[in-house]
Amino acid sequence: MKSLLVKSATILFPGSSLYGRVADVLVENGKITSIGTGIILPEGAGEADGSGKYLAPGFFDLHANFGEPGLETKEDLETGAAAAAAGGFTGVSLMPNTRPPVQSRSEVAYLVNRSRELLVDVFPLGAISQERAGKDLAELYDMHQSGAIAFSDGNKPVADSGLMSRAMLYVKAFNGLVFSYAEDPSLAGAGKMNEGTTSTYLGMKGIPSLAEEIMVARDIYLAEYNDTKVHFTTISTAHSVELIRKAKEQGLQVSCDVAAHHLALTEEALTGFDSNFKVKPPLRTHEDVAALRAGLMDGTIDAIVSQHTPHEIEYKNIEFEIASYGILGLQTVLPLAVCAGLSPELIAEKLSVNPRNIVGLPVPALAEGDAANFVLFDTDTHWELNEGTNRSKSSNSPFMGQQLTGKVHLVANNGQYFTF
């Protein structure tokens, strides 16, 4: 790694004596060697202007989908990591929605070993059940030993309450964590969007809020019964926020995240039948968006995730009813957080600090001798997501061609750095 000097950036590293102050940071051979003001640029070093920008621990995404292994035409590790880096992420946890699913030590080890040379740290999530079928537990302990940081069936809910309870209890033995994707399939049915006035107007089958909320309530009860942790990923309704708020007030070991697009988009975006807005959980109402934003502000919602879900064009450029769910998300998380009204300090908390705390990973520090792991960003630069700036292999984003506010300028990790 060529030496790098970041000049005059506002420091947002928690615990740093310089928090909220402007400083220079010099990185040499991948390590921070000097922090202060007026640092002279070494000969041959790169320089990044941090004026009006914020230097925080590299963002960490708790919910991303790459295609590898088996679905590399959607996204492979290299292109996914490139998109993550451009979005400010130096770490991502990958859902097991691959072919085969990440359900044993071999798949976990493959991802860990294949990603060693990347700037972005890749952390697999192991499947809760074999084949993500919701019937039998997968090899949870073996996957934990091989590097899986938590467990999830990805975009498939664990409908069997007994299986979910056993999974929570099993991982408790090694302080593991289960992710809950809260959806009752019998209530969601074949719905394509949020159930409500807009779905009625468009003549489409809806997914009621209840389909999510009843599973949030169930898994809160299971976590209480088993005295275990549970993490709810991509919650989307106002009542889900309230249920989790009350669980936290009771002292239960509950955490949750929200997908960035649920902070900015509502069901009304679907009136044009653009399949790039088709996601699951579905886009909800203005009231739900307001509740999600409020939940971030008061600490009920711990983290923001990308729910990055790349698809080939043939899965999206078709009739809305049969199009696949999901949008690209890694490069638009920061602008959507800015759109939701989050301050730079809160952005660093929800994207850098809390996600790592949830899965028990250390938060990068800013001190001389530490490895450089940071992101330099601002909240006012305008830029466009287009064919030239998109780093993903796929292009299924509703924000393609739009002006976005809030930009990542630099990421550094693993002895590497990229500027944007």
Side-chain angles (χ1 to χ4, degrees):
M1 178 182 187
K2 185 172 73 171
S3 298
L4 170 69
L5 178 62
V6 181
K7 292 285 291 183
S8 305
T10 300
I11 305 301
L12 292 183
F13 275 75
S16 171
S17 61
L18 293 172
Y19 187 90
R21 295 165 57 188
V22 173
D24 304 340
V25 177
L26 177 63
V27 178
E28 298 176 289
N29 297 318
K31 292 189 179 295
I32 298 167
T33 57
S34 184
I35 307 169
T37 56
I39 298 175
I40 304 300
L41 180 69
E43 185 176 351
E47 183 174 6
D49 180 12
S51 302
K53 305 177 183 71
Y54 303 91
L55 193 72
F59 298 156
F60 189 94
D61 190 10
L62 288 171
H63 188 133
N65 296 280
F66 295 175
E68 194 169 348
L71 299 171
E72 289 86 354
T73 53
K74 297 180 184 292
E75 195 87 279
D76 58 39
L77 287 171
E78 285 79 10
T79 59
F89 294 92
T90 59
V92 294
S93 58
L94 298 183
M95 289 288 160
N97 308 342
T98 51
R99 191 178 297 162
V102 180
Q103 59 185 350
S104 71
R105 67 166 65 237
S106 60
E107 291 91 19
V108 172
Y110 170 82
L111 291 172
V112 170
N113 292 328
R114 271 275 290 122
S115 61
R116 288 191 190 281
E117 303 302 317
L118 300 174
L119 178 147
V120 177
D121 297 318
V122 171
F123 296 91
L125 294 177
I128 294 172
S129 65
Q130 295 177 21
E131 300 298 330
R132 299 191 298 127
K135 297 184 182 299
D136 301 298
L137 286 180
E139 301 172 7
L140 305 183
Y141 184 69
D142 283 353
M143 288 189 284
H144 168 72
Q145 290 288 87
S146 300
I149 58 170
F151 303 95
S152 167
D153 269 353
N155 59 359
K156 292 186 177 182
V158 179
D160 188 310
S161 299
L163 182 69
M164 189 62 156
S165 182
R166 290 191 295 277
M168 289 183 181
L169 196 57
Y170 187 91
V171 302
K172 182 180 178 180
F174 51 86
N175 196 31
L177 177 65
V178 168
F179 279 31
S180 170
Y181 171 63
E183 181 190 82
D184 185 323
S186 66
L187 288 172
K192 305 300 178 184
M193 62 175 295
N194 182 57
E195 180 184 84
T197 303
T198 304
S199 65
T200 302
Y201 168 72
L202 296 177
M204 282 200 287
K205 294 179 180 178
I207 301 173
S209 297
L210 181 64
E212 173 176 308
E213 294 153 2
I214 200 167
M215 294 294 268
V216 169
R218 183 202 73 172
D219 289 344
I220 287 173
Y221 280 125
L222 290 177
E224 180 180 24
Y225 178 77
N226 292 304
D227 189 25
T228 56
K229 299 180 292 185
V230 66
H231 177 75
F232 293 97
T233 188
T234 64
I235 65 167
S236 66
T237 78
H239 192 51
S240 289
V241 176
E242 186 57 30
L243 287 168
I244 292 168
R245 181 180 290 118
K246 289 179 178 177
K248 288 189 170 188
E249 289 171 355
Q250 293 169 21
L252 301 181
Q253 301 174 73
V254 172
S255 58
C256 67
D257 65 55
V258 60
H261 47 267
H262 282 117
L263 299 172
L265 301 171
T266 69
E267 60 185 359
E268 294 171 4
L270 300 177
T271 54
F273 295 100
D274 183 347
S275 63
N276 283 322
F277 290 100
K278 185 179 180 181
V279 293
K280 207 172 189 184
L283 301 177
R284 303 288 188 180
T285 66
H286 289 282
E287 292 75 17
D288 291 313
V289 170
L292 292 169
R293 292 183 178 187
L296 280 168
M297 301 298 181
D298 69 18
T300 300
I301 300 176
D302 302 278
I304 303 172
V305 300
S306 72
Q307 203 183 17
H308 182 78
T309 308
H311 287 299
E312 304 92 332
I313 190 170
E314 60 266 27
Y315 287 86
K316 278 295 191 177
N317 192 22
I318 51 178
E319 294 86 349
F320 189 93
E321 283 281 330
I322 59 175
S324 296
Y325 295 100
I327 65 175
L328 298 185
L330 283 164
Q331 290 183 242
T332 53
V333 171
L334 174 61
L336 294 181
V338 172
C339 175
L342 273 68
S343 67
E345 294 79 8
L346 202 56
I347 287 171
E349 177 186 324
K350 305 297 184 181
L351 289 178
S352 301
V353 180
N354 288 357
R356 289 183 171 90
N357 288 338
I358 287 168
V359 291
L361 294 173
V363 178
L366 187 72
E368 293 180 7
D370 284 340
N373 184 336
F374 55 69
V375 56
L376 182 69
F377 70 95
D378 71 39
T379 57
D380 48 27
T381 294
H382 303 294
W383 65 284
E384 182 178 298
L385 180 65
N386 54 38
E387 186 176 337
T389 57
N390 177 34
R391 309 294 183 190
S392 173
K393 186 176 286 189
S394 299
S395 59
N396 54 299
S397 171
F399 304 106
M400 199 66 69
Q402 292 191 22
Q403 286 289 313
L404 303 169
T405 302
K407 189 176 190 303
V408 169
H409 296 271
L410 166 73
V411 287
N413 188 36
N414 290 336
Q416 306 172 55
Y417 72 86
F418 291 131
T419 56
F420 305 97

